[in-house]
Amino acid sequence: MDSIRILGGNQLRGQIKISGSKNSSLPIMISSLLTDQELVLDNIPNLTDIETLVLILKDLGADINYSIPKRKSSLSTTSDRIMHIKFKNIISNQANYEHLSKMRAGFLVIGPLLARTGYAKVSMPGGCAIGTRPVDMHLMGLKKLGADIKIEKGYVIAEAKNGLVGNKIHLSKPSVGATQNLIMAASLAKGESIILNASIEPETMDLIACIRKMGVDIDVHGDNVQIQGTINIKGASYEIMSDRIEAGTYAIAGCMTGGRIELTNFDPHLLESPFEILRNIGCSIKLFNRRIVIEKVVKDFEPAKITTEPYPGFPTDLQAQFMALLTQASGKSIINERIFENRFMHVQELVRMGAKINLDGDKATIIGKTELIGAPVMATDLRASVSLVLAALSAKGETIINRVYHLDRGFEDLEKKILNCGGIIERIQENKYEVI
Ligand code: UD1
């Protein structure tokens, strides 16, 4: 298995083009199941999660091709390609464990597949180990739309012989995945559906914008989503939003190493809550149109209190990265994790690098400032892995990060982007250890 070696201590200075959002791309690719016409998607990132989903969709009958746009620049990323997906026919109604064990978002095929064909057999999902992550709300919502649901040998079997029928669905939590799944299913259901207490995360709004372009009438009032189902769903062209988690991560990398990073291809309004914290602890953030310049402007960061919440609150997907940053703040910082019950797997690894962090249930107390020292580390999930990259970039000496496949799932061109800004980072292929 590959690993990544980082020699810490260099300031990160330069420009980084933010890639397309992984968490937007996945449901939007899946929405191609709603029509037999072509969906043309721009700004899809080049990530292993995307490749896994391509395999899942191909198994179901998708024809997927790429074209290259004529806009290459020196800052272009490998995602500078356009994806064409077409489900002329559905050739299988089953999504297998082999792929779904690697990526939870694949489970979202169940809603549109059921809505289009009346039957779907989908493996219970895997993905990052950050909690039990049930799918009860997905299934409750599909039942409300008229589906019969059975669970057999790790698979969910959903059936609606006479098609789905619109209904009112009240989610007990604003689950991102359940909202997206049910919006897709309701788009092909007969009549109107309303999802109450829905996720209004930017990635859900991106999915809604794409499905609207495909011809479905969807209104959002506060956290209620109203969908007028139709059988006339057509193809569309759509540009995926940029990745707010990637942008937030590189913003921290610039600040944490005392450098200066310019983020391009990104709408700063998507990160208001994390940027407010960065400003409060001592960073300057200058906002331009789809461009942000960010740098540390104090000698030592101030501590902070952070609670993860649904959008527009602080995103759980930036919690681990902020924890790495707050090890460099003078004083006591507190992070409350309110979305996932097991999302502190990075703490032990940060502690091995010299951080002082105490855990008490869903609360982490970070005592700073502590000097971070490079070490061999590994992480069990995507965002935790990148928090170790941040810690390593500002640590003294060399850090080896194992289980790189987590990073490859969610961060496009990670090494290239960091190298371009002056960081020292390299991938070590298995069995190839040499000194930097
Ligand atoms: C999505 C994101 C993930 C992000 C998370 C929260 C993708 C591919 N992943 O994950 O990066 O961290 O939103 O912003 O977009 N829950 C239930 N029952 C359900 C569904 C969820 O109890 O049926 C719980 C979960 O265990 C969790 C909470 O609801 O505690 C939020 O989960 P959810 O919003 O569904 O996250 P995902 O869609 O899995």
Side-chain angles (χ1 to χ4, degrees):
M1 217 176 288
D2 293 357
S3 50
I4 279 186
R5 176 161 44 195
I6 292 175
L7 194 57
N10 274 18
Q11 292 185 338
L12 257 58
R13 289 184 172 273
Q15 207 178 63
I16 295 179
K17 181 182 172 195
I18 298 306
S19 299
S21 161
K22 169 181 87 74
N23 285 356
S24 264
S25 300
L26 298 171
I28 288 177
M29 284 166 66
I30 290 172
S31 72
S32 63
L33 274 161
L34 295 171
T35 172
D36 60 2
Q37 296 180 24
E38 186 176 74
L39 196 58
V40 180
L41 301 176
D42 199 351
N43 210 27
I44 296 262
N46 188 9
L47 298 168
T48 55
D49 267 10
I50 300 291
E51 284 167 26
T52 306
L53 182 59
V54 164
L55 295 176
I56 294 171
L57 296 180
K58 281 189 170 171
D59 279 353
L60 300 176
D63 198 3
I64 302 181
N65 300 297
Y66 299 93
S67 61
I68 306 292
K70 293 186 196 126
R71 54 160 192 265
K72 287 269 179 209
S73 77
S74 57
L75 276 174
S76 66
T77 60
T78 48
S79 67
D80 220 356
R81 59 188 182 159
I82 293 175
M83 182 184 273
H84 302 248
I85 316 183
K86 190 168 172 177
F87 268 103
K88 181 79 190 137
N89 297 302
I90 307 284
I91 60 168
S92 161
N93 295 50
Q94 181 163 328
N96 290 326
Y97 178 71
E98 181 199 350
H99 301 313
L100 267 93
S101 60
K102 296 187 198 133
M103 191 193 54
R104 181 177 168 83
F107 188 72
L108 301 191
V109 299
I110 195 168
L113 188 57
L114 171 69
R116 179 145 165 206
T117 68
Y119 180 88
K121 182 173 176 184
V122 178
S123 164
M124 299 285 271
C128 285
I130 53 179
T132 49
R133 303 187 82 179
V135 289
D136 56 321
M137 284 191 270
H138 298 241
L139 304 187
M140 176 278 292
L142 293 176
K143 278 186 195 161
K144 286 259 177 193
L145 295 176
D148 287 325
I149 306 275
K150 277 190 293 194
I151 297 176
E152 269 176 20
K153 297 182 186 166
Y155 279 78
V156 178
I157 299 170
E159 234 176 317
K161 286 199 183 96
N162 300 317
L164 297 174
V165 181
N167 203 347
K168 195 184 259 192
I169 303 166
H170 189 195
L171 299 181
S172 55
K173 283 185 204 171
S175 157
V176 176
T179 302
Q180 295 172 346
N181 208 341
L182 297 171
I183 287 172
M184 289 189 275
S187 294
L188 269 181
K190 204 179 282 170
E192 180 182 280
S193 295
I194 301 180
I195 306 173
L196 305 166
N197 195 29
S199 140
I200 49 159
E201 304 287 309
E203 294 76 13
T204 303
M205 300 308 290
D206 215 28
L207 172 69
I208 290 174
C210 178
I211 297 181
R212 278 186 183 138
K213 275 193 102 178
M214 294 164 79
V216 184
D217 184 3
I218 305 181
D219 279 328
V220 181
H221 305 283
D223 56 9
N224 298 336
V225 180
Q226 195 171 353
I227 305 123
Q228 309 299 334
T230 171
I231 49 165
N232 295 318
I233 302 185
K234 52 187 199 299
S237 292
Y238 192 74
E239 185 177 341
I240 307 285
M241 65 179 260
S242 301
D243 197 306
R244 62 187 172 122
I245 305 306
E246 190 199 23
T249 301
Y250 289 123
I252 295 172
C255 300
M256 206 171 159
T257 58
R260 182 180 188 275
I261 291 286
E262 184 176 333
L263 304 173
T264 65
N265 190 36
F266 184 70
D267 173 2
H269 299 295
L270 295 171
L271 279 178
E272 277 176 8
S273 162
F275 281 168
E276 192 185 326
I277 288 168
L278 286 178
R279 284 201 180 93
N280 290 344
I281 69 169
C283 302
S284 145
I285 303 176
K286 294 195 183 108
L287 305 182
F288 305 91
N289 183 23
R290 295 192 67 74
R291 196 164 68 84
I292 302 156
V293 179
I294 178 154
E295 61 190 320
K296 180 180 175 189
V297 287
V298 288
K299 185 167 171 293
D300 285 322
F301 293 120
E302 295 287 326
K305 279 193 179 152
I306 295 175
T307 300
T308 63
E309 287 172 326
Y311 189 81
F314 186 92
T316 176
D317 284 354
L318 279 175
Q319 180 257 103
Q321 298 89 315
F322 268 78
M323 189 178 293
L325 172 66
L326 292 172
T327 65
Q328 300 309 296
S330 293
K332 186 166 94 177
S333 295
I334 292 177
I335 297 184
N336 287 294
E337 172 56 58
R338 292 280 161 78
I339 306 290
F340 291 106
E341 76 269 28
N342 190 21
R343 205 171 203 181
F344 283 137
M345 311 292 266
H346 42 287
V347 168
Q348 252 347 89
E349 301 302 293
L350 290 172
V351 167
R352 293 183 60 243
M353 295 178 73
K356 281 196 191 134
I357 305 169
N358 299 316
L359 277 185
D360 180 11
D362 65 2
K363 177 173 146 186
T365 305
I366 303 116
I367 313 289
K369 169 184 180 180
T370 48
E371 187 181 43
L372 297 177
I373 312 272
V377 288
M378 69 167 70
T380 48
D381 76 77
L382 169 58
R383 312 304 178 184
S385 300
V386 88
S387 78
L388 300 177
V389 171
L390 296 176
L393 286 168
S394 66
K396 206 181 210 173
E398 180 183 289
T399 298
I400 305 281
I401 301 174
N402 294 299
R403 298 194 179 169
V404 172
Y405 60 87
H406 284 299
L407 291 168
D408 294 337
R409 286 185 46 211
F411 286 87
E412 181 182 64
D413 293 342
L414 177 92
E415 296 110 282
K416 183 174 152 196
K417 287 181 179 184
I418 291 176
L419 274 172
N420 281 347
C421 293
I424 302 179
I425 181 167
E426 73 167 346
R427 182 173 295 242
I428 310 166
Q429 262 133 37
E430 202 175 13
N431 303 328
K432 194 178 149 228
Y433 278 74
E434 72 277 308
V435 180
I436 295 180

